[in-house]
Amino acid sequence: MFSNDGGFKISPYPDGKHFAFTVTDDPDHSKIQKVKTMYGFLDEIGLKTTVAVWVKECSRANGEPDTEGRFDYGATLQNEEYRNYILSLRNKGFEIALHTVSGCNDLRKGTIDGYEQFRSIFGEYPKMNIMHSMNLDNVYWGAKVFKSKAAQWFFKNVVGMVYPKASFSFGGEDPQSRYYWADILKEKTKYVRLWGTSDINTLKFNPSMPYHDPDRPEINYWFSFSDGHNMEAFLQLISDKNIEKLVRERGASIVYTHFAAGFIKRAGDNSYAVDEQVKKQLIKIAQQKDGWFVPASTLLDRLQAIKNVSLIDKGRALIVVNSNPFPVEGMTLAAPQGAVLYDNEHKKITVNDEGEILIGTLKANESSTLYKSADSYSINNISPGYLEQWKLLISRALVWFYAN
Ligand SMILES: [Zn+2]
């Protein structure tokens, strides 16, 4: 989306930022002390990320067979200390997402109840949902990830022989199922996660994200992730080489992880600390010049808005059009080195040494014209062509000839 091939391009990021990095962290096996240790550190270095939570304790199993019972897979908002801490993170600018309503199968009634509890705590419904592994309420999950019936059959029956969870009957999108809740998801939640890659640049893997798939109408927008599911995978993903690649490619990374999976060490005196290597790499990212560090939904909102901003090259001028019904702030263009543009008042706009032109805010449905030369009075000031020249000359001659 943003390359140096000599032309002008729209940057997806605001105010001359070069790349984006964020994390979504699932609550599996989380404990309040570990959560406080990890997020205290992230807050300190200025990485505002997305925390996925469970609203309710488990009252059923996870996956098949679905039996009633109590299971503990990690902290939930039912715990007051955890709830208050998560609320404080939200107030500091972190995003709170849903990891389905609980860590186990949720019946429709439980999901409705969980959504309302979420709203009563945070004042709004979750903007993002990340499905938890084997919850039978997951939407378009298991074999249903595939659209073709043949692929679904293969996944369920052949892959299911090796991995039993592939054969589970997930039913979140099926109105006949007792786990059905896709209507609630559509009404109240904007983003749902699906595909993943080992590439740190999630946007390179899925350039159209966030995208709507008409065959899955209940999902407003899908997005993808870069895989850092445990500490080993996370460290591999944010190696020096990959950080350098993300910055060079001006990419966007939405890392999927579980910070409870090995990131926090407990010392002899019962204190907790973030793993030194994790700290070192995350500080390296946070210190990168021009990184954009916002929660996943903020990044996805921006990527979606940028899809509705067009750059039209009229030869003599560039027109940047915002077709969104809302303002887009900090509009930035990538520009070839040495390029010069002029605004409406013939004022020179310089390309900065990072090859960018900062346009600023484009209001709702507003366009901005940037001229390539100071004397362009009109972007369509085209001179007569060969045929038009002859026609003008002959007609004028006839008028002269017949006059009097
Ligand atoms: Zn999970």
Side-chain angles (χ1 to χ4, degrees):
M1 201 180 283
F2 194 116
S3 68
N4 275 331
D5 64 354
F8 293 91
K9 288 210 162 66
I10 292 170
S11 164
Y13 316 116
D15 305 315
K17 302 281 189 203
H18 289 185
F19 73 100
F21 177 86
T22 193
V23 178
T24 69
D25 163 36
D26 293 346
D28 311 37
H29 307 293
S30 60
K31 297 269 177 290
I32 177 75
Q33 296 87 345
K34 290 184 174 183
V35 174
K36 283 185 174 174
T37 307
M38 192 68 213
Y39 284 93
F41 169 70
L42 290 176
D43 187 37
E44 197 183 300
I45 63 170
L47 293 187
K48 303 286 187 202
T49 59
T50 297
V51 193
V53 298
W54 283 319
V55 184
K56 302 177 76 165
E57 296 287 324
C58 285
S59 56
R60 314 187 72 82
N62 185 220
E64 291 175 356
D66 185 5
T67 50
E68 287 185 33
R70 292 263 155 224
F71 301 88
D72 181 11
Y73 290 110
T76 76
L77 296 177
Q78 303 300 307
N79 176 298
E80 194 184 348
E81 190 189 356
Y82 176 76
R83 182 172 67 242
N84 288 338
Y85 186 70
I86 294 292
L87 197 53
S88 77
L89 286 179
R90 207 284 304 266
N91 293 339
K92 282 178 177 165
F94 287 85
E95 174 186 19
I96 313 304
L98 195 68
H99 193 38
T100 52
V101 158
S102 84
C104 304
N105 306 330
D106 300 298
L107 302 184
R108 179 174 176 82
K109 194 182 162 304
T111 297
I112 292 171
D113 186 40
Y115 258 77
E116 294 311 316
Q117 282 190 41
F118 189 102
R119 190 172 71 156
S120 75
I121 296 166
F122 302 109
E124 60 197 0
Y125 293 115
K127 191 167 183 174
M128 172 175 287
N129 176 67
I130 293 168
M131 253 90 77
H132 173 58
S133 70
M134 298 187 291
N135 279 29
L136 295 179
D137 45 310
N138 286 347
V139 180
Y140 294 112
W141 209 243
K144 290 172 185 167
V145 162
F146 304 100
K147 289 185 182 177
S148 105
K149 290 281 173 214
Q152 284 187 7
W153 182 90
F154 181 84
F155 190 76
K156 224 174 155 148
N157 296 289
V158 181
V159 181
M161 275 163 58
V162 189
Y163 301 102
K165 72 175 184 179
S167 67
F168 287 179
S169 294
F170 298 96
E173 73 294 324
D174 176 7
Q176 306 308 317
S177 163
R178 57 183 182 157
Y179 308 109
Y180 176 60
W181 67 292
D183 56 333
I184 299 162
L185 188 60
K186 180 169 179 60
E187 194 189 315
K188 301 179 170 26
T189 294
K190 186 173 179 185
Y191 298 120
V192 178
R193 192 178 71 188
L194 183 58
W195 310 109
T197 175
S198 56
D199 189 332
I200 191 171
N201 187 352
T202 323
L203 188 58
K204 190 180 181 185
F205 164 69
N206 181 188
S208 62
M209 79 174 184
Y211 68 93
H212 179 72
D213 178 353
D215 294 335
R216 307 276 195 253
E218 303 91 339
I219 308 296
N220 292 304
Y221 295 96
W222 294 104
F223 71 99
S224 298
F225 63 85
S226 293
D227 181 25
H229 66 277
N230 61 17
M231 193 175 78
E232 287 66 39
F234 188 86
L235 282 174
Q236 221 165 50
L237 192 72
I238 61 164
S239 65
D240 287 354
K241 208 174 119 219
N242 282 344
I243 297 172
E244 197 257 324
K245 171 182 135 67
L246 179 69
V247 177
R248 187 182 63 241
E249 293 176 350
R250 297 194 181 229
S253 188
I254 301 180
V255 183
Y256 149 57
T257 199
H258 301 92
F259 282 138
F263 289 72
I264 319 292
K265 311 290 179 220
R266 190 175 180 170
D269 62 351
N270 262 352
S271 66
Y272 292 83
V274 179
D275 177 87
E276 283 305 317
Q277 190 61 21
V278 169
K279 264 174 121 165
K280 196 174 135 209
Q281 293 309 104
L282 284 175
I283 288 171
K284 257 181 214 165
I285 293 171
Q287 287 177 340
Q288 290 293 317
K289 194 170 165 289
D290 292 330
W292 197 39
F293 306 120
V294 290
S297 286
T298 310
L299 171 59
L300 292 168
D301 281 350
R302 178 77 185 187
L303 295 176
Q304 188 196 18
I306 290 297
K307 287 185 189 184
N308 296 316
V309 177
S310 324
L311 180 65
I312 303 161
D313 194 335
K314 293 289 287 183
R316 288 165 163 267
L318 297 171
I319 308 172
V320 191
V321 185
N322 175 20
S323 306
N324 291 292
F326 50 83
V328 178
E329 286 166 12
M331 274 303 309
T332 302
L333 288 187
Q337 283 300 339
V340 180
L341 294 174
Y342 300 84
D343 68 10
N344 278 325
E345 279 124 33
H346 300 232
K347 218 175 78 199
K348 198 168 168 177
I349 306 167
T350 46
V351 178
N352 69 19
D353 37 347
E354 286 162 3
E356 294 153 350
I357 288 175
L358 306 185
I359 299 177
T361 300
L362 270 184
K363 290 184 201 140
N365 298 304
E366 187 191 53
S367 72
S368 172
T369 306
L370 302 163
Y371 298 90
K372 293 185 188 172
S373 100
D375 58 4
S376 290
Y377 296 100
S378 159
I379 55 167
N380 286 321
N381 189 13
I382 299 161
S383 307
Y386 184 76
L387 280 176
E388 190 182 346
Q389 287 272 19
W390 272 105
K391 208 178 133 205
L392 293 172
L393 193 68
I394 291 166
S395 295
R396 185 66 187 85
L398 290 174
V399 172
W400 171 79
F401 190 75
Y402 287 112
N404 299 326

